[in-house]
């Protein structure tokens, strides 16, 4: 379970697709918490927000397994 405000690094970079290259050169990442989207049909989708190199980036839950707390 990730903690809001904690620092993380991307590990297992070999598991990432070749694009985008953002993850190969990024430094430490701050976990900002869940970002829930509710569609018009009532389905809720849980994504996660990260602060990466000063930008807010949204990733899906599967990406979190690549992060390791610093």
């Amino acid at each position: 379970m990730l903690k809001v405000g904690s620092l993380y690094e991307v590990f297992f970079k070999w598991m990432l697709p070749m694009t985008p290259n953002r993850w190969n050169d990024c430094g430490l990442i701050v976990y900002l918490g869940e970002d829930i989207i509710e569609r018009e049909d009532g389905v809720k989708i849980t994504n996660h927000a990260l602060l990466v190199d000063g930008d807010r980036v949204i990733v899906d839950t599967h990406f979190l397994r690549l992060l390791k707390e610093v």
Side-chain angles (χ1 to χ4, degrees), residues 13-21 23-24 63 66:
K13 290 182 181 181
W14 58 271
M15 294 178 68
L16 294 170
M18 295 306 265
T19 56
N21 199 20
W23 305 112
N24 290 330
F63 187 83
L66 304 176

Side-chain angles (χ1 to χ4, degrees), residues 7-63:
L7 294 174
Y8 293 88
E9 287 182 294
V10 178
F11 278 81
F12 308 113
K13 290 182 181 181
W14 58 271
M15 294 178 68
L16 294 170
M18 295 306 265
T19 56
N21 199 20
R22 163 191 304 268
W23 305 112
N24 290 330
D25 298 328
C26 72
L28 295 178
I29 296 170
V30 178
Y31 178 68
L32 300 176
E34 292 182 344
D35 185 81
I36 299 173
I37 300 169
E38 187 169 346
R39 298 188 325 202
E40 291 179 11
D41 60 0
V43 175
K44 290 184 181 179
I45 301 170
T46 302
N47 290 317
H48 299 270
L50 306 172
L51 186 62
V52 183
D53 295 331
D55 296 325
R56 186 173 188 263
V57 178
I58 303 297
V59 297
D60 68 1
T61 302
H62 298 291
F63 187 83

